[in-house]
Amino acid sequence: MEDNSSQVELVLSGDMNQEDEVTHHFHQSHTSKPSQRSPRNICFMVTAALFIFAFGFLIGYLAHPKTEDRISPVCRQSESSEDEDDGPVQTDVFLDWSNLTAFLKTTLTTSSIENSLSLFSSDSHEAGSLGDEELGEKVLKIFRDYDMKPWTDEHFVNVQERPTRGTNRVTFRDATFEESGYLAYSANGLVKGAVLYAYYGQVGDFKKLQDLNINPSGRIILVRAGNISFAEKVANAASVNASAVLIYPDSANYTFDEGMALFGHVHLGCGDPYTPGFPSFNHTQYPPVKSSGLPAIPAQTITASTAAAIMRKMEGPNPPPGWGDGGLPDVSYKLGNDSDTASVEVSNVLVGKKILNVFGVIKGFQDPDRYVVIGAQRDAWGPGYARSTVGTSLLVELARTFSEIVAKTEFKPRRSIVFASWSAGEYGAVGATEWLEGYLSSLNMKAFSYISLDAVVTGPFFKASASPLMYDLIQSTLKEVSSPTNGSRSLYSEVAGSNWEAAVLEPMRMSDPAYPFQAFSGIPSVSFRFTSDKGYPFFGTMLDTKENLYNATSMNLLVLTKTAGEIAGQMALRLVHDHLLRLNVEAYSSTIRANVAQINKEVILLQSSGRLPKKLKLQWLLSAMGSYSRAASKLTFSIENSNLKDTEQCRIINDRIMAVERDLLSPYVCPLESPFRHILLGSGSHTLGALRAHLAAIKDGSSADTDLLRNQFALATWNIQSCADALAGSVWDTDNEI
């Protein structure tokens, strides 16, 4: 300044260290006099600095939300310096997670769900029928309207229809009953024998009969519907050499009219039983084999009125405690004796049908070749409002919701979402299984999860069946989704209790629509539902209607369906937006440990009692268990310390996570003989469950088959060890201590 005082410059520089910063330059004048600072200048300097600091802090705070609350649509590329010539650097668009889930919740409305329910409500849409095809065309059009690049998959499958005359026939003493209901895939023929009441036809029920010295061999078994699937009841009866099975709805469990017919199937498996392990494409050369799950004995459903007429005349001993607590009028429950003879005539017709699976996709922007599948059954025996209408409606509503999320927000999913509408679900997930069989080699490498919407709402209580890999995802989702009855509370707070897994999770059975994805293809899967304590009694009947479902849900169907959509939507959203898949590989450590610990306990007891030879060692199975646990822990450590900016590292880790479920499929058994090869959740002699059952049979007095046991131990050991080796990653990281 002209008066020789200090000069103060406030320089805002945007290109120093790539950040806004304030540089204070104090320039002395050219004279040799010492500078003089007035109080006014000092006050100005301090005020300006404080103002600029506060302004910059405010901008930075508003521009950068908390790390845990933001999501990135695409993996960030590593930063480049100004002199790099790699082209423009892709940057992230950050979205607040709470805002994104709020958008999902507001877009998925009860009014739009109600419109879809009206659109897909149909009184007749059996698999392969004109009604089924018309619904498929509606789904296809909606996917096309949402620009989801839809396509269809045709399969030519074998199914059984009711007899040409319309009924199968049951005769008891001098009375003949014409039954309009039927069980698909039953053996045909005329069978005669004495009737034996066997409660629900479970394994334990037949054991109780044997404990009473009652031989079920050659008898016609009469059982109640419920507790287990029709297929399991028939398989259990066949295992004790029964000649036929009659299944009826007892009034204690089913409150509908006594003349209502039941429909279902008795194939102990999934897919077309006449092309096991092979896809039923038109050009496929079908192998000359049948599924081992097809029953060799006739099976037939009968009405409650027919069952009452038979049981009123049955004699014999009283049943075990609890078996007689039925609801058939004027019936004194008896087990039956040799004079209670009957005949069963089944004449079902095997026909070939063309079915259509309909698909749409929202492609990912980072890894479009990796995808989560959301699916729902489209067909039903009758109206099927709970069985298929709700699930199909929710499927298209989720497709619309995700389409709008991508179109109207800056969110770009890393991975793809495939929406699938299946046909022939009533025959045992035929449409879904044929698709899996047709594309197995690619699906179990690229599909990282399956979410089922079948029978998703029948009551107020939340239940789920899932791969252990998905337990953490289910738990976190329940914490974020509001209760359908109290919006101020989370669903988790209502269902958790002291142990949320015990309160919510159920075993995934063969009748579960997600089972073929899990046990056949090795794809981590979940099926969930809002249900009631007593179950929904109208499945497989002509009474699965809108009115009955509204009554079963206390008129809260729309709210429950919306909540179910939020659960499925948020699980899918998490799976396609995170850098790393939200699947916990360490969850299987505890599952494997629990199974091996039980096996070890049984072996020690049997060896101490002399029923098993001492030379049978478990050290290798225990070692394999440890190998998996160590590999899972190492991968978790890698995940926690990974560089999320490294796209290639993200993909490598995700591939290792995806491989876990697939590597639990036994490579040592034939898919034709044992299609459900999963050693923990599948079925067959190769599973840890079968190994435990073998040891239990020896404990109960059966002779030990040492060679079979050694084979089972070897297969289980190497299956777990190979899974651990694959989980470790590179071959030089594998654990070869076994």
Side-chain angles (χ1 to χ4, degrees), residues 585-601 618 621-622 624-630 632-633 680 688 692 720:
V585 297
E586 288 195 274
Y588 264 125
S589 295
S590 58
T591 304
I592 294 173
R593 189 180 303 113
N595 278 271
V596 173
Q598 182 63 32
I599 291 170
N600 186 50
K601 178 182 178 182
L618 266 74
L621 181 59
L622 295 171
M625 177 190 69
S627 295
Y628 180 89
S629 181
R630 289 190 294 273
S633 297
L680 294 169
L688 294 186
R692 295 199 316 271
I720 296 172

Side-chain angles (χ1 to χ4, degrees), residues 324-388:
D325 299 335
L328 296 179
D330 303 321
V331 170
S332 177
Y333 288 73
K334 300 290 184 180
L335 293 179
N337 59 29
D338 293 339
S339 63
D340 295 323
T341 58
S343 66
V344 178
E345 184 180 1
V346 176
S347 305
N348 297 339
V349 180
L350 186 66
V351 299
K353 286 189 175 183
K354 183 183 78 170
I355 61 171
L356 291 176
N357 294 326
V358 182
F359 303 90
V361 62
I362 295 176
K363 290 190 176 180
F365 288 77
Q366 181 78 32
D367 294 316
D369 60 333
R370 302 290 193 266
Y371 40 86
V372 56
V373 182
I374 305 176
Q377 170 184 327
R378 192 178 64 248
D379 66 294
W381 296 115
Y385 205 80
R387 176 66 75 186
S388 63

Side-chain angles (χ1 to χ4, degrees), residues 108 113 481-485 491 528 530 558-568:
L108 185 67
I113 291 172
V481 174
S482 299
S483 163
T485 57
L491 191 57
F528 66 93
F530 285 95
L558 295 178
V559 176
L560 288 167
T561 304
K562 173 178 165 57
T563 304
E566 292 175 8
I567 294 170

Side-chain angles (χ1 to χ4, degrees), residues 4 108 217 384 405 414 418 545 658 688 712 725:
N4 292 327
L108 185 67
S217 179
I405 288 175
R414 300 180 192 278
V418 173
T545 61
M658 290 170 59
L688 294 186
Q712 287 178 310
D725 291 342

Side-chain angles (χ1 to χ4, degrees), residues 63-84:
H64 299 281
K66 294 179 180 179
T67 302
E68 62 268 21
D69 292 335
R70 68 193 187 199
I71 59 173
S72 170
V74 289
C75 246
R76 276 189 281 182
Q77 306 296 318
S78 57
E79 295 181 0
S80 303
S81 61
E82 291 182 356
D83 56 352
E84 287 180 341

Side-chain angles (χ1 to χ4, degrees), residues 395-406:
L395 178 75
V396 299
E397 283 301 305
L398 285 172
R400 177 187 61 82
T401 299
F402 274 95
S403 296
E404 291 191 18
I405 288 175
V406 173

